[in-house]
């Protein structure tokens, strides 16, 4: 048992708290109901959790503290006998498309380690099974499992000229800086509808030409529409974009399952490595309930016939 | 083939793996796969996944602090959650939970009830002790613990129905469902049974004009507040301008009238290089966000800064304006009476944000409303209030669809669609369709056992 059986809160005044004091028994589970806005969160999160986390953070060097979340000093006289806190809130985990339940819980790391030990044929250490490392990721989709292409029919209204707003994407609108890259390039008749372009002109518009575009005081390197869009948008992670930008991005692109890895995210060496006939991608796609059954199978029966 | 029996390291890794996957199943997330992207997880799922990270460690005498872990959990899964909380405690930890669910409160060794009411009427400890003592206590929580809404027997008659035909997205098993129009429908089922897929994905694709009140965050930059979000700020500025004969833009902390020192933020951020930055109240406007001369203009004795500092409850007494009152009234009705008009939206919880959305959407002329767990974060006494609002929507012959686990809400439905029987691939079937009184006889349904 703990030497001090209570967490003692004295004079808590954060938000609407009315200078309250209370003793909370330790090593007990404890609930704090109360109507919405009654001060539950002010007591539990803004006072007790904030103070415990703040004091814990102060045990680190100033440099490390710079990376830790900030908790202000709560308005309370004193809190005695605090324990180290672990705060489990409801903020969404979020993360980009490289973050999965497996990576977040570190269960994926255990599974990778296991494949590196007993998978057949032997491939290499655990990171050869990670879609987030160059050693493991599918070379075609770079570990995302999907490939994204620009949808040219939506991106370009070929019945219009550049000056009439042939390019549909909002960042390429008439008058915008990106639009000037094309109209000032001197490659095109800016009043000619795109569907009347010659093959060479169309190629230059879409895939680029070796050229500098004069912008008065400076020049920029000319890039074709597809090249530029791929660099500016497709190489970025859509899950990390703002809602608005992602909506625009999705309106102008088609995504399809990666033709090489079939969505498994890993390179062929990793996918060919199996335990009991299953590769790591197949196991990762199992619902946890089924994966547990599979795992228990390993534990109870010998992995090769005796 | 080299196997576990030859490789003690692999055997240990496999044992650890089995244990961790077991945690995932224990906590009611057995329907998730490891390859599921975390950005697609709901708030409740996120919280349970975070718990998994801590369950494996052997640290003791830690202080675990959880915020409403029962959110999004079916009554059956709450029992599993309770077992986990008790396991944490039995390892020698202290577990501190903010919670409204009576089933979670019931397993607490010690309960602290805050109140007596919200906002300035709260902030005191009204009860401390055991659950059995709480049941006898004369606090709001104590009174409502014993009280359950009855199963509704006189249900509204539908005006027609909308049909979802042959839905097979994700785990749905080619199901066809009729959603009655003009009544309150509650969609239930254990976590992962396909409720969200059926309503949020399949149904909303068919009915894009439906008004959706979900738990996605209300847009929160450092300048948004309930007043700007609900749109009443424009009216408030106009009233101030008209009364004082000046321009409305003076009364915006985002434009002309803002304090030039802090640009209307009310605080000044000082960057301390590698130390954490500090926010201090602006020394010029003293946190009031406006220029001093703007604060000279009054409306019925209050300056603009005073008005933004009002709670919705105070604002309801203050405003007589026709365009402002209904919104403020709605904020009170959805249980946000304690919220200040100028409080930054970034400080709102998920449930509060959702109710603010509801307050904003109540005036819109819609015909279909879809709400994803609107009782999140609501105290038992506030649920009755919310159900009153929802009943009014249905009385006006709107089609209201709730995805909900709360038993009192399920009992008050006109029509129930229960999905299951389990989560993930073992779910996706319709177990029951009909009025609540008939659900009790349904043997397949897990929900029926808890009604």
């Amino acid at each position: 048992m703990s030497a001090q059986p209570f967490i003692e809160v004295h004079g808590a005044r954060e938000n609407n708290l009315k200078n309250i004091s209370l003793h909370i028994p330790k090593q007990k589970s404890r609930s704090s109901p109360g109507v919405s806005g009654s001060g539950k969160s002010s007591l539990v999160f803004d006072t007790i959790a904030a103070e415990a986390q703040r004091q814990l953070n102060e045990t680190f060097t100033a440099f490390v503290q710079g990376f830790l979340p900030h908790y202000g000093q709560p308005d309370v006289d004193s809190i005695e006998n605090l324990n180290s806190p672990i705060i489990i809130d409801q903020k969404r985990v979020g993360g980009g498309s490289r973050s999965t339940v497996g990576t977040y819980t570190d269960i994926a790391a255990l599974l990778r380690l296991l494949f590196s030990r007993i998978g057949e044929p032997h491939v290499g250490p655990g990171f050869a099974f990670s879609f987030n490392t160059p050693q493991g990721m599918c070379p075609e989709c770079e570990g995302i499992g999907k490939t994204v292409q620009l949808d040219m029919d939506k991106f370009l209204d070929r019945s219009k000229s550049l000056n009439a707003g042939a390019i549909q994407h909002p960042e390429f609108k008439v008058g915008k800086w990106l639009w000037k890259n094309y109209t000032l390039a001197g490659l095109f008749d800016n009043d000619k509808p795109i569907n009347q372009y010659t093959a060479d002109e169309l190629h230059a518009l879409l895939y680029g030409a070796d050229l500098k575009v004069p912008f008065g005081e400076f020049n920029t390197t000319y890039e074709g529409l597809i090249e530029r869009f791929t660099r500016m948008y497709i190489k970025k992670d859509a899950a990390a974009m703002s809602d608005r930008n992602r909506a625009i991005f999705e309106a102008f692109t088609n995504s399809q399952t990666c033709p090489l890895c079939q969505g498994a995210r890993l390179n062929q060496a990793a996918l060919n490595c199996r335990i009991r006939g299953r590769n790591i991608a197949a196991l990762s796609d199992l619902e946890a309930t089924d994966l547990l059954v599979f795992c228990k199978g390993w534990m109870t029966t010998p992995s090769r016939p005796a | 083939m080299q196997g576990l029996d030859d490789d003690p390291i692999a055997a240990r890794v496999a044992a650890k793996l089995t244990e961790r996957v077991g945690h995932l199943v224990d906590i009611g997330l057995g329907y998730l796969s490891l390859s599921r992207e975390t950005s697609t997880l709901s708030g409740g799922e996120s919280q349970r996944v975070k718990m998994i990270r801590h369950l494996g460690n052997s640290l003791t005498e830690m202080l675990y602090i959880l915020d409403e872990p029962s959110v999004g959990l079916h009554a059956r899964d709450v029992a599993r959650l309770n077992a986990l909380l008790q396991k944490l405690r039995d390892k020698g930890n202290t577990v501190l939970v903010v919670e409204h669910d009576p089933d979670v409160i019931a397993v607490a060794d010690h309960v602290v009830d805050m109140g007596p009411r919200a906002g300035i009427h709260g902030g005191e400890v009204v009860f401390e002790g055991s659950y059995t003592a709480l049941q006898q206590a004369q606090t709001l929580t104590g009174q409502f613990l014993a009280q359950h809404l009855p199963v509704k027997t006189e249900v509204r008659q539908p005006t027609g129905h909308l049909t979802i035909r042959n839905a097979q997205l994700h785990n749905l098993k080619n199901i066809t469902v009729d959603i009655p129009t003009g009544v309150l429908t509650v969609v239930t089922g254990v976590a992962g049974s396909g409720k969200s897929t059926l309503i949020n994905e399949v149904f909303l694709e068919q009915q894009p004009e439906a008004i959706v009140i979900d738990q996605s965050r209300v847009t929160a930059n450092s300048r948004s507040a309930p007043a700007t979000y609900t749109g009443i700020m424009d009216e408030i500025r106009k009233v101030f301008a008209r009364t004082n004969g000046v321009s409305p833009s003076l009364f915006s902390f985002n434009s002309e009238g803002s304090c030039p020192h802090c640009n209307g933020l009310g605080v000044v951020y000082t960057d301390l290089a590698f130390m954490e930055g500090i926010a201090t109240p602006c020394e010029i406007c003293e946190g009031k966000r406006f220029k001093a001369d703007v604060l000279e203009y009054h409306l019925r004795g209050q300056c603009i800064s005073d008005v933004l500092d009002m709670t919705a409850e105070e604002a309801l007494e203050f405003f007589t304006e026709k365009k402002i009152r209904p919104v403020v009234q709605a904020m009170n009705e959805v249980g946000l009476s304690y919220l200040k008009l100028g409080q930054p939206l970034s400080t709102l919880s998920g449930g509060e944000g959702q109710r603010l959305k509801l307050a904003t959407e109540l005036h819109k002329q819609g015909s279909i409303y879809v709400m994803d767990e609107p009782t999140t974060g609501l105290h038992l006494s506030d649920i009755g209030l919310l159900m009153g609002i929802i009943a009014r929507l249905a009385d006006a012959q709107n089609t209201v669809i709730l995805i909900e686990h709360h038993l009192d809400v399920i009992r008050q439905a006109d029509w129930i669609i229960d999905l299951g029987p389990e989560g993930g691939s073992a779910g996706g079937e319709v177990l029951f369709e009909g009025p609540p009184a008939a659900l009790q006889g349904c043997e397949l349904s897990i929900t029926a056992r808890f009604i």
Side-chain angles (χ1 to χ4, degrees), chain B residues 213-229:
Chain B
I213 299 163
D214 59 12
Q215 300 202 0
S216 61
R217 251 169 316 181
V218 286
T219 38
N221 64 47
S222 54
R223 289 172 182 275
S224 324
T228 53
Y229 182 81

Side-chain angles (χ1 to χ4, degrees), chain A residues 16 18 27 29-32 37-38 70 83-84 86 88-90 94 99 101-102 104 265 285 287-289 303, chain B residues 3 30 32 34-38 50 53 61 63 65 67-68 94-97 109 112 119-120 122-123 276 425:
Chain A
N16 66 343
K18 306 257 169 68
Q27 297 183 358
S29 92
R30 164 185 175 270
S31 272
S32 188
S38 61
H70 160 67
N83 301 63
S84 308
I86 293 179
I88 307 177
D89 59 21
Q90 293 194 18
S99 170
V101 169
Y104 187 80
R265 298 176 173 229
D285 280 340
E287 288 179 8
T289 316
S303 53
Chain B
L32 291 182
L34 297 186
S35 57
R36 174 79 173 265
E37 289 184 16
T38 50
K50 285 182 200 172
R53 279 171 40 136
E61 299 210 12
L63 172 60
I65 302 178
D67 190 6
E68 273 200 84
T94 303
V95 182
L96 199 55
V97 182
D109 299 306
V112 176
I120 55 166
E276 64 184 338
S425 55

Side-chain angles (χ1 to χ4, degrees), chain B residues 294-316:
Chain B
V294 174
L295 299 178
E296 297 295 311
Y297 299 115
H298 288 86
L299 174 69
R300 293 191 287 276
Q302 306 289 325
C303 73
I304 182 75
S305 175
D306 297 333
V307 167
L308 289 176
D309 207 36
M310 286 178 184
T311 62
E313 186 185 6
E314 292 161 345
L316 188 61

Side-chain angles (χ1 to χ4, degrees), chain B residues 258-279:
Chain B
S258 65
C259 166
H261 187 66
C262 62
N263 292 320
L265 286 175
V267 288
V268 177
Y269 293 98
T270 315
D271 187 6
L272 294 177
F274 58 84
M275 295 273 285
E276 64 184 338
I278 298 183

Side-chain angles (χ1 to χ4, degrees), chain B residues 220-261:
Chain B
N221 64 47
S222 54
R223 289 172 182 275
S224 324
T228 53
Y229 182 81
T230 55
I232 55 171
M233 191 63 200
D234 292 340
E235 277 308 312
I236 295 176
R237 296 204 326 247
K238 276 186 208 157
V239 177
F240 263 94
R242 221 166 26 231
T243 313
N244 294 287
V246 290
S247 153
S249 60
L250 275 182
F251 302 100
S252 162
F253 46 68
N254 296 335
S255 79
E256 226 181 294
S258 65
C259 166
H261 187 66

Side-chain angles (χ1 to χ4, degrees), chain B residues 36-189:
Chain B
R36 174 79 173 265
E37 289 184 16
T38 50
S39 56
T40 63
L41 299 178
S42 72
E45 287 170 339
S46 293
Q47 191 184 36
R48 273 166 271 149
V49 167
K50 285 182 200 172
M51 283 174 80
I52 303 283
R53 279 171 40 136
H54 301 298
L55 285 172
N57 72 40
S58 53
L59 295 169
T60 64
E61 299 210 12
M62 304 298 282
L63 172 60
Y64 285 86
I65 302 178
L66 292 97
D67 190 6
E68 273 200 84
S70 73
V71 165
L73 282 185
H74 187 270
R76 199 248 341 234
D77 298 323
V78 169
R80 290 177 165 178
L81 171 80
N82 283 341
L84 273 170
L85 294 176
Q86 285 165 321
K87 204 162 154 189
L88 278 177
R89 173 200 61 191
D90 293 343
K91 272 166 63 180
N93 299 296
T94 303
V95 182
L96 199 55
V97 182
V98 174
E99 185 57 80
H100 296 283
D101 190 316
D103 294 334
V104 180
I105 300 174
V107 299
D109 299 306
H110 185 80
V111 183
V112 176
D113 189 12
M114 303 286 297
R117 293 189 169 270
I120 55 166
H121 309 301
E124 291 171 53
V125 176
V126 290
F127 171 84
E128 260 190 284
S130 69
Y131 177 73
T132 30
L134 176 68
Q135 285 174 308
Q136 312 301 324
Q138 290 303 308
T139 69
L140 265 183
T141 311
Q143 288 166 14
F144 276 87
L145 273 180
Q147 197 172 318
H148 282 297
L149 292 176
V151 172
K152 193 175 191 175
T153 45
E154 291 187 20
V155 296
R156 293 181 189 86
Q157 289 308 310
T159 53
H161 55 256
L162 301 164
T163 305
I164 303 173
R165 217 173 284 286
N166 304 101
Q168 9 192 341
L169 188 66
H170 302 322
N171 66 340
L172 297 180
K173 305 269 162 58
N174 197 18
I175 57 176
T176 298
V177 186
D178 281 339
I179 296 189
T181 53
V183 302
L184 170 59
T185 301
V186 175
V187 182
T188 62

